[in-house]
Amino acid sequence: MGPYDAREEIRPIAILRGLEPTGEIRESDMNLVERSTPKGPNAYDVVVIGAGFSGLNALHVLRERFKVRVFEAGDGVGGTWYWNRYPGARCDVESLDYCYTFSRELYRDWDWSERYATQPEIERYANWVADRLDLRRDIQFSTRVMSAVFDEDANLWTVTTDRGDVVTARWVIAATGCLSAPNKPPFKGIDSFKGEIYQTSLWPKEPIDFRGKRVAVIGTGSSGIQAIPQIAEQALHLTVFQRTANYSIPARQGLPSPEYVATRKDEDHFNDWRARAVVAPQGLPTEPMALKDLPPEEAQSELERRWALGGLSEILSPFYLVGSSHEENKIHADFIRSKIRETVKDPKTAELLCPDDHPYTAKRPCVDTGYFETFNRANVSLVSVRNNPVAEVTPDSLRLQNGEEFKIDVLVMATGFDAMTGALTRMDIRGRNGVSLKDAWSHGPRTYLGLQTAGFPNFFIFVGPGSPSVLSNMILGMEYHAQYINDCLRYLCERGIETIEASPEAQDAWAAHMEECAGATIYNDTASWWRGANVEGKPQGFMVYLGGWPLYTQKCAESAAKGYAGFILDGQRVAAEPVA
Ligand code: NAP
């Protein structure tokens, strides 16, 4: 394996299409950075919070020009793929679609062993990238950022950590992930539990032995659905507590054929795929298709064919109406319910497992390996807590509202995340006038292009609320943001501009545009984590941009081309109209 060659880097396609705001960096630009940045060991141009896939990407891109420090709470890289090491954890986006593409060399030199990579393999990949790009020297591990406070006189952020670090930075980038703040429902009595408790998203590094134990899993989202079949293989008895039944598609795990891998790594194909993937993330685009327009038997056989292939991209990519037409959606939902009834032998359990309160994909659909089959095992039972919630955890049991009690030795909380905002609002981030981000977002997150929030100058968010993030290919989203922010900082440096922040008007326009996009779907009426509905007391509203990746990148590029329309530079609104 040769040394990493930066010349092989490929820039996001939207930027490639002549929409770059600036030309090549000149020596004089560097001087501007030099002049504006305070000197000293604790002074940085950029502080990046988090060394997950976003943070690594940001560090690599920005480090060429800026002095960057990354703080990471874990003792290793990988973010999501560092923390979520529960049994069965694997990515449900295909490996060849879920890895960095900014360097063809990186893409070419890593060989994925399975169609869907396991957590250990993805963590190994993140470590391999960190080593290959020599990223660790700028990352401080086992260090959690506690606060970031903006000094309006100096136009600098002061960042503090739980290890006592106090550093300054011109720019702060939150690469904190969308799904990184665990949701721990405050079950009464939970602290009195004498057995073992595990949260899927904070899983210990040592393997857990479930043999001979009575195990309870609360939660049947993507994490629960992956963990349940694995835990069931060991446990004496496993009881699954389900609040909402979920749609799940079989992964059909396998080895990618050498021919397929060779095609994906071929230079022309790679460039073409990358260009198209930016346009249609999550798998290779296929011809658009509407099942409602087909004769029922044809629709059925199309679904059967795709079910046999497995995976979200097979079952979703061509069906552009699933998210907007109830009629189309019902065909898919009925089909999945029929598969659940076919698989699960006990009809009562099968009925409980059939989602009946939300359209298909209105909550994040899952991808599984043997999930529904697990309920045919003698040592597994399913309990619905939809109308009979968990009321209490006692020292040795779970008790439901109706008084029913389940004796357990191990409690596994697969209860998800305070998604999109939790990682940000749990830190004390203070912008202009000492206003905290938590207060600024008390009615829900507000951003412009998902990149910045008004009142917080020089504070950027990677794949955050207001961007397509979790409803697009996350890795491509991160790469786009890394390049976009890098270009933006270069633009500022070239002009000696010290601050950039979202304008409140542009932010309002973006919120209205977000609402309009969400309103065109059938997702808004479902209590999903995309809407903040899974966390008690959290303000609700669709937090992910639903206008699609092409429109999103077009709007970002338009703003940049107009000198960052919609942003305020050094206190001056950019003359052009915001792009929303
Ligand atoms: P999740 O989808 O939010 O699921 C949490 C589960 O816990 C839900 O079934 C929820 O029920 C249940 N729950 C929460 N509070 C509860 C309570 N008080 N009582 C009973 N049940 C409760 O979280 P997740 O499974 O960790 O997945 C989150 C996201 O992470 C996924 O949607 C996906 O985007 C990502 N993920 C991806 C992969 C992958 O392979 N790429 C794997 C895992 C996760 P309700 O539905 O009723 O709220």
Side-chain angles (χ1 to χ4, degrees):
M1 188 189 324
Y4 171 72
D5 181 356
R7 285 167 308 179
E8 285 216 23
E9 279 199 15
I10 294 155
R11 298 158 67 75
I13 245 58
I15 294 178
L16 269 179
R17 286 185 188 137
L19 295 167
E20 277 184 275
T22 58
E24 280 307 297
I25 192 83
R26 301 179 304 263
E27 263 317 299
S28 57
D29 305 333
M30 290 305 301
N31 296 341
L32 274 170
V33 180
E34 290 283 303
R35 279 206 305 276
S36 64
T37 303
K39 303 292 179 294
N42 294 322
Y44 296 93
D45 294 314
V46 187
V47 159
V48 176
I49 310 173
F53 276 68
S54 287
L56 295 180
N57 197 170
L59 171 60
H60 169 64
V61 170
L62 293 166
R63 195 171 65 176
E64 254 185 53
R65 197 167 296 134
F66 301 107
K67 185 180 171 193
V68 185
R69 188 67 166 164
V70 180
F71 292 111
E72 164 56 52
D75 66 6
V77 297
T80 286
W81 301 104
Y82 169 91
W83 296 103
N84 288 266
R85 45 183 84 240
Y86 57 85
R90 61 169 79 237
C91 187
D92 53 22
V93 176
E94 291 193 23
S95 313
L96 284 157
D97 293 339
Y98 194 88
C99 49
Y100 289 124
T101 66
F102 60 79
S103 150
R104 207 179 93 77
E105 202 181 48
L106 284 184
Y107 194 78
R108 187 189 59 207
D109 290 351
W110 179 267
D111 291 317
W112 293 102
S113 67
E114 292 181 285
R115 180 179 180 189
Y116 299 97
T118 59
Q119 176 274 330
E121 186 170 13
I122 303 173
E123 193 187 10
R124 278 201 302 281
Y125 170 75
N127 277 281
W128 174 79
V129 171
D131 290 337
R132 182 83 179 253
L133 304 183
D134 188 22
L135 297 175
R136 288 177 210 280
R137 63 187 154 91
D138 292 316
I139 306 173
Q140 186 171 321
F141 291 102
S142 304
T143 307
R144 186 175 287 280
V145 167
M146 303 305 286
S147 71
V149 177
F150 187 66
D151 174 343
E152 293 187 58
D153 295 326
N155 285 335
L156 285 176
W157 286 91
T158 300
V159 177
T160 64
T161 76
D162 63 351
R163 298 272 294 264
D165 305 281
V166 181
V167 305
T168 59
R170 175 75 61 209
W171 300 287
V172 171
I173 294 179
T176 41
C178 301
L179 296 157
S180 46
N183 174 37
K184 298 181 177 180
F187 293 125
K188 184 179 158 202
I190 197 156
D191 293 336
S192 72
F193 186 61
K194 297 277 184 260
E196 303 158 58
I197 298 193
Y198 302 105
Q199 186 92 26
T200 46
S201 50
L202 295 171
W203 203 264
K205 285 186 179 167
E206 312 71 47
I208 308 299
D209 187 359
F210 293 103
R211 282 175 302 179
K213 293 176 185 161
R214 297 161 300 176
V215 183
V217 173
I218 302 180
T220 52
S222 298
S223 306
I225 279 177
Q226 288 184 333
I228 285 162
Q230 301 269 316
I231 296 173
E233 280 180 18
Q234 279 198 359
L236 176 68
H237 192 87
L238 168 64
T239 311
V240 175
F241 293 86
Q242 170 190 276
R243 188 164 67 183
T244 306
N246 238 321
Y247 298 94
S248 188
I249 307 293
R252 309 275 184 234
Q253 182 57 284
L255 305 178
S257 74
E259 299 75 39
Y260 177 64
V261 175
T263 310
R264 293 297 303 270
K265 293 188 176 188
D266 167 80
E267 184 159 4
D268 288 344
H269 189 278
F270 172 81
N271 291 336
D272 183 42
W273 167 73
R274 192 165 190 270
R276 285 190 293 137
V278 168
V279 172
Q282 301 280 20
L284 291 164
T286 43
E287 282 303 302
M289 196 186 287
L291 293 183
K292 70 183 181 57
D293 299 336
L294 296 179
E297 53 292 355
E298 257 182 60
Q300 183 73 13
S301 76
E302 186 60 39
L303 284 170
E304 288 286 1
R305 195 173 70 79
R306 291 175 175 275
W307 185 266
L309 292 169
L312 276 182
S313 51
E314 280 300 343
I315 208 108
L316 270 183
S317 356
F319 302 116
Y320 66 104
L321 289 178
V322 165
S324 57
S325 154
H326 281 290
E327 189 189 352
E328 174 77 9
N329 194 285
K330 189 168 179 305
I331 299 172
H332 292 258
D334 283 346
F335 176 79
I336 296 171
R337 283 190 283 263
S338 76
K339 288 292 174 196
I340 297 171
R341 291 183 186 115
E342 238 173 60
T343 309
V344 180
K345 290 187 183 135
D346 173 44
K348 232 174 108 190
T349 307
E351 264 341 281
L352 275 182
L353 287 167
C354 284
D356 62 357
D357 63 351
H358 63 280
Y360 175 48
T361 69
K363 275 176 180 252
R364 163 70 150 74
C366 306
V367 178
D368 72 274
T369 301
Y371 174 65
F372 295 115
E373 290 83 348
T374 299
F375 293 91
N376 294 331
R377 295 177 66 111
N379 69 333
V380 176
S381 43
L382 178 69
V383 174
S384 172
V385 292
R386 176 151 71 172
N387 302 315
N388 183 24
V390 175
E392 189 178 1
V393 181
T394 76
D396 64 351
S397 73
L398 268 190
R399 192 175 292 144
L400 304 188
Q401 199 176 56
N402 70 355
E404 206 177 344
E405 193 171 355
F406 297 84
K407 295 282 184 198
I408 54 168
D409 306 300
V410 183
L411 174 55
V412 174
M413 308 269 278
T415 45
F417 300 87
D418 181 354
M420 309 300 296
T421 56
L424 293 160
T425 55
R426 288 177 190 195
M427 294 181 287
D428 187 15
I429 295 169
R430 290 180 185 271
R432 290 202 187 278
N433 304 313
V435 173
S436 76
L437 188 65
K438 194 173 171 192
D439 287 343
W441 285 4
S442 60
H443 300 294
R446 307 276 284 187
T447 65
Y448 178 50
L449 300 172
L451 286 164
Q452 282 208 303
T453 189
F456 294 79
N458 293 357
F459 182 80
F460 290 94
I461 305 166
F462 255 64
V463 287
S467 77
S469 66
V470 292
L471 287 170
S472 66
N473 182 314
M474 281 294 276
I475 306 281
L476 288 168
M478 294 165 191
E479 292 184 350
Y480 185 79
H481 277 175
Q483 199 60 59
Y484 191 87
I485 293 168
N486 190 38
D487 287 342
C488 173
L489 300 194
R490 184 171 66 176
Y491 179 94
L492 302 180
C493 289
E494 282 173 1
R495 289 157 181 79
I497 296 166
E498 291 209 354
T499 61
I500 180 167
E501 59 208 282
S503 87
E505 300 81 18
Q507 185 167 277
D508 287 348
W510 191 247
H513 175 56
M514 294 258 306
E515 237 177 88
E516 183 193 9
C517 295
T521 71
I522 57 174
Y523 293 165
N524 242 345
D525 300 331
T526 296
S528 65
W529 61 256
W530 294 328
R531 289 186 50 80
N534 64 325
V535 176
E536 229 179 285
K538 189 164 170 169
Q540 298 206 19
F542 215 90
M543 295 184 281
V544 187
Y545 179 69
L546 278 173
W549 187 255
L551 189 57
Y552 175 74
T553 47
Q554 184 192 317
K555 285 184 179 292
C556 288
E558 262 175 40
S559 165
K562 291 177 182 167
Y564 295 95
F567 292 92
I568 300 173
L569 308 185
D570 270 349
Q572 307 287 318
R573 275 162 177 71
V574 174
E577 286 290 306
V579 295

